[in-house]
Amino acid sequence: MRRLSASVRRMDPEKIKLLIEAMTASDLAEMEFSEGGWSLRLVRRRHESVEPQPTSPKSISRSRRLVEKPAAAPDRARDDQILSPTFGAVYLRPSPDAPEFVTPGKQVAAGDILCVVEAMKVFNEVRATRDGVIATVLVASGDEVEAGQLLMRFA
């Protein structure tokens, strides 16, 4: 193991936390930061599975990891899939007493809001990328989701 010289400072854990929070609140796929002889690189992993997976705050934390190698380019979503843009809590209605944005069998137009994903008090609208009919909704309001997780499918 290599010893660091006295001129190299430790990276501030609070600064690391702020950088992680800034990345999760954005749609960045990668972020790199250097200071005092240290480099920190954050890469948001994309999940290749198309089946919904149960998530928890622990699994969300694992999805934000430090890596030493560049990540592979994320796969393009299939045209019939609606994926979460970020990790957070998904909501299928604009407010608790309002009707759901969409339900299975509903016709939608490109640009229609399908649901929102809340990450750190920021509500990210998930919009239809094309005209079509929603075949399935694979999450429930309030579920924790990960970036790239399958939320819905077009028919």
Side-chain angles (χ1 to χ4, degrees), residues 48-65:
E48 295 181 20
S49 171
V50 294
E51 294 303 315
Q53 299 175 359
T55 58
S56 67
K58 284 184 181 179
S59 66
I60 291 170
S61 297
R62 283 194 304 265
S63 70
R64 295 175 287 159
R65 62 186 179 102

Side-chain angles (χ1 to χ4, degrees):
M1 185 173 245
R2 196 175 111 202
R3 292 186 59 104
L4 299 175
S5 69
S7 65
V8 176
R9 300 182 327 220
R10 286 186 52 184
M11 188 173 267
D12 180 18
E14 287 301 311
K15 188 170 282 185
I16 294 171
K17 187 175 178 180
L18 288 171
L19 291 168
I20 291 170
E21 290 171 358
M23 183 173 175
T24 57
S26 73
D27 61 352
L28 292 174
E30 294 184 32
M31 176 188 290
E32 192 166 338
F33 179 79
S34 297
E35 178 180 70
W38 283 92
S39 289
L40 175 69
R41 184 170 188 196
L42 303 172
V43 177
R44 182 173 292 157
R45 284 190 349 198
R46 300 287 181 199
H47 297 282
E48 295 181 20
S49 171
V50 294
E51 294 303 315
Q53 299 175 359
T55 58
S56 67
K58 284 184 181 179
S59 66
I60 291 170
S61 297
R62 283 194 304 265
S63 70
R64 295 175 287 159
R65 62 186 179 102
L66 302 177
V67 295
E68 296 176 9
K69 297 178 185 175
D75 292 331
R76 294 256 183 238
R78 289 186 2 208
D79 189 43
D80 68 335
Q81 297 179 341
I82 296 117
L83 306 177
S84 177
T86 186
F87 80 93
V90 66
Y91 295 102
L92 301 175
R93 53 185 76 217
S95 65
D97 57 339
E100 292 183 345
F101 289 111
V102 294
T103 55
K106 182 175 181 184
Q107 177 73 37
V108 297
D112 286 354
I113 298 174
L114 305 176
C115 63
V116 293
V117 178
E118 177 192 10
M120 299 177 54
K121 307 292 184 205
V122 175
F123 290 86
N124 300 283
E125 295 176 340
V126 178
R127 295 182 176 266
T129 55
R130 65 175 178 91
D131 295 348
V133 175
I134 299 299
T136 56
V137 177
L138 301 166
V139 293
S141 253
D143 284 355
E144 293 287 327
V145 296
E146 294 189 28
Q149 181 177 332
L150 183 60
L151 303 175
M152 300 174 196
R153 282 200 178 139
F154 283 105

